[in-house]
Amino acid sequence: MSNHSIGRNTLWNAAAQLAPVASAAIALPFLARGLGEERLGILLLVWTVVSLASTLDFGVGRALTQMIAARRGSGTLSELNSIFRTGVWLSGLIGLSAGALVLATASWITSSIPDVTSWVSEARASLLLVGLGLPFLLLSNTFRATLDGLEQFQLSARVRIPVGILTFIVPLAMLPFTKRVDLAVAGLLTIRCAGSLVLGFVVSRLLSASSTNSNNTLQPLKELLHLGGWVSVSNLASIILVYADRFLIASLVSVAAVAHYTTASEIVTRLLLVPIAVAAVWFPALARAHQRVDDAERSHLNERGVRLVTIVTLPVLILLVAMADPILRLWVGSEIADPGAPVLQWLSLGVFMNALAQIPFATLHARARPDAPAILHLIELPLYLTLLWWALPTFGLVGAAMAWTARAGFDFLGLLILTTRLESN
């Protein structure tokens, strides 16, 4: 893949990642005033489900990208079609099952809310809408994963960018007409479902030239389940590794301390969107290079990936470390800046190592070895929780940031060692 091509793909993918974040930043202040705290909370919970859809598919999307990218050069179009159809059926089944579970438990989940609360019926209706939308959300992830495997990042981004922008703009545009959060949720999910259908149409057009239909779904299904299973283990462990600090701070320190810590954390961890976008572009390219047994290209891609991530993230992180206190004072005031500035400085170091880790992580997945990072994450989990349990009461919020940074460093070194050992074999 040429420098021009990989750079263009990275820009398109980064734009698609950042579009919903930019939309939310613009719309949330107005939505907060228009909907109120409770209704906005419901809308943000739905948005969280939408954002986590890629981790709810049991790793099918990630496995699909690897399988399609690895077979692009050597496989037939009918083979790619077979893999794609198997992925669609599998993710559709998962989506229907998850949706049915939400529909069945919606009343029970909202039963703890007093009926006198004015928005309880809206919360229940919002959950029902989520249940209906989940199959489309998971299918959207499958279609996007297929386009990633085909390295059609520009086509994918041309759909995802307007969908990401409209995700919050549509509920905002509805405010003059209604304050009901279930209608805002309906607008948000309608945009996401429409985007899913468009992505499905794009993929179907790309793969429609197949003149023969392969009925071999058993082998792709076995491979999808094997790869996806390990990805799921890694995803679940990663969620705990990323968010455990906030829950422990709430239980061991105070809820107010969570706000001090999370404000600093949210500022710096958002920078990971760019390295993640870079790694998403590198992933299928590395899978193709591995399939061709092209060691020189793999090595070149790895070096370029690490170099690009460093160039993009390091200057910003140095600025955050140097200007942590004035940045927080300007943005959220001295009440959060005083305890939050050292947290921001420590987390900046951790985020840099986490950013660098995206390339070896993508390399292991590209080599069809998602078991390696999954096992590493399972090893990290008790070590990190033990360190966090000790550091938080001992050093306060700074201790939590130090533990998170130490975990990020351990993760990066572990992934680097695993990648080096695999590359040398």
Side-chain angles (χ1 to χ4, degrees):
M1 188 160 49
S2 67
N3 287 336
H4 177 70
S5 175
I6 206 166
R8 184 180 65 247
N9 285 340
T10 302
L11 287 174
W12 277 107
N13 198 41
Q17 295 266 18
L18 294 171
V21 177
S23 173
I26 295 170
L28 280 178
F30 301 100
L31 287 169
R33 288 195 291 268
L35 294 175
E37 289 183 358
E38 293 85 0
R39 288 181 171 87
L40 178 65
I42 295 170
L43 184 65
L44 290 178
L45 284 174
V46 172
W47 167 243
T48 301
V49 173
V50 171
S51 302
L52 291 176
S54 60
T55 63
L56 297 175
D57 70 345
F58 293 94
V60 171
R62 188 75 169 177
L64 198 61
T65 300
Q66 194 280 334
M67 292 171 64
I68 288 177
R71 289 166 173 79
R72 266 187 65 206
S74 57
T76 63
L77 198 55
S78 62
E79 185 181 7
L80 298 182
N81 256 313
S82 178
I83 296 169
F84 167 66
R85 286 198 305 273
T86 304
V88 168
W89 281 108
L90 187 55
S91 62
L93 180 62
I94 295 170
L96 287 171
S97 301
L101 180 63
V102 172
L103 291 174
T105 58
S107 296
W108 174 75
I109 292 172
T110 56
S111 62
S112 61
I113 305 173
D115 288 335
V116 295
T117 304
S118 60
W119 44 268
V120 63
S121 61
E122 299 174 34
R124 188 174 294 116
S126 297
L127 272 178
L128 293 174
L129 289 168
V130 169
L132 294 173
L134 269 175
F136 292 94
L137 295 177
L138 266 68
L139 284 173
S140 178
N141 186 59
T142 300
F143 299 144
R144 173 193 165 184
T146 303
L147 289 172
D148 285 357
L150 296 170
E151 295 184 72
Q152 294 290 340
F153 292 96
Q154 183 173 342
L155 280 177
S156 175
R158 287 183 183 276
V159 178
R160 291 165 55 210
I161 289 173
V163 167
I165 293 171
L166 291 173
T167 293
F168 277 100
I169 299 302
V170 166
L172 178 62
M174 296 171 65
L175 274 182
F177 308 101
T178 179
K179 310 295 184 185
R180 290 182 62 92
V181 69
D182 53 345
L183 295 180
V185 168
L188 184 154
L189 290 174
T190 297
I191 293 299
R192 305 298 295 201
C193 292
S196 175
L197 294 175
V198 175
L199 284 173
F201 175 76
V202 171
V203 175
S204 298
R205 288 292 300 271
L206 285 174
L207 298 178
S208 63
S210 176
S211 58
T212 59
N213 288 321
S214 171
N215 294 318
N216 178 24
T217 59
L218 185 59
Q219 183 57 38
L221 180 61
K222 287 180 178 178
E223 194 169 349
L224 280 170
L225 289 174
H226 171 71
L227 297 175
W230 281 111
V231 172
S232 295
V233 171
S234 188
N235 284 342
L236 180 59
S238 295
I239 290 172
I240 299 173
L241 288 168
V242 171
Y243 295 109
D245 48 4
R246 304 180 187 190
F247 291 99
L248 274 179
I249 289 169
S251 61
L252 297 179
V253 185
S254 68
V255 175
V258 177
H260 301 157
Y261 184 89
T262 303
T263 301
S265 175
E266 286 297 313
I267 291 175
V268 70
T269 54
R270 290 297 176 187
L271 292 175
L272 287 172
L273 285 174
V274 177
I276 289 171
V278 172
V281 174
W282 256 252
F283 176 37
L286 287 165
R288 280 194 298 107
H290 170 63
Q291 192 69 15
R292 294 199 304 266
V293 198
D294 192 336
D295 294 335
E297 183 180 356
R298 282 205 309 268
S299 178
H300 183 52
L301 282 169
N302 281 324
E303 290 175 5
R304 288 169 61 195
V306 171
R307 193 183 309 122
L308 179 59
V309 167
T310 302
I311 291 171
V312 170
T313 59
L314 187 58
V316 180
L317 291 170
I318 290 174
L319 178 65
L320 285 178
V321 170
M323 303 290 290
D325 188 73
I327 288 173
L328 283 174
R329 287 184 187 279
L330 181 64
W331 190 43
V332 291
S334 59
E335 184 178 349
I336 291 179
D338 289 337
V343 169
L344 180 59
Q345 291 170 327
W346 273 101
L347 290 179
S348 295
L349 176 59
V351 164
F352 179 60
M353 289 185 285
N354 206 319
L356 293 177
Q358 299 301 319
I359 300 302
F361 183 75
T363 301
L364 291 168
H365 279 206
R367 297 199 62 172
R369 289 299 308 272
D371 57 311
I375 293 171
L376 176 64
H377 288 154
L378 290 176
I379 294 171
E380 285 177 33
L381 195 54
L383 296 176
Y384 169 60
L385 292 177
T386 302
L387 178 61
L388 182 61
W389 191 271
W390 169 79
L392 184 55
T394 305
F395 300 104
L397 297 184
V398 174
M402 292 166 63
W404 196 94
T405 297
R407 195 275 309 170
F410 180 87
D411 185 66
F412 172 56
L413 289 175
L415 290 171
L416 197 60
I417 291 169
L418 288 170
T419 303
T420 303
R421 290 190 62 180
L422 279 176
E423 294 291 342
S424 62
N425 292 336

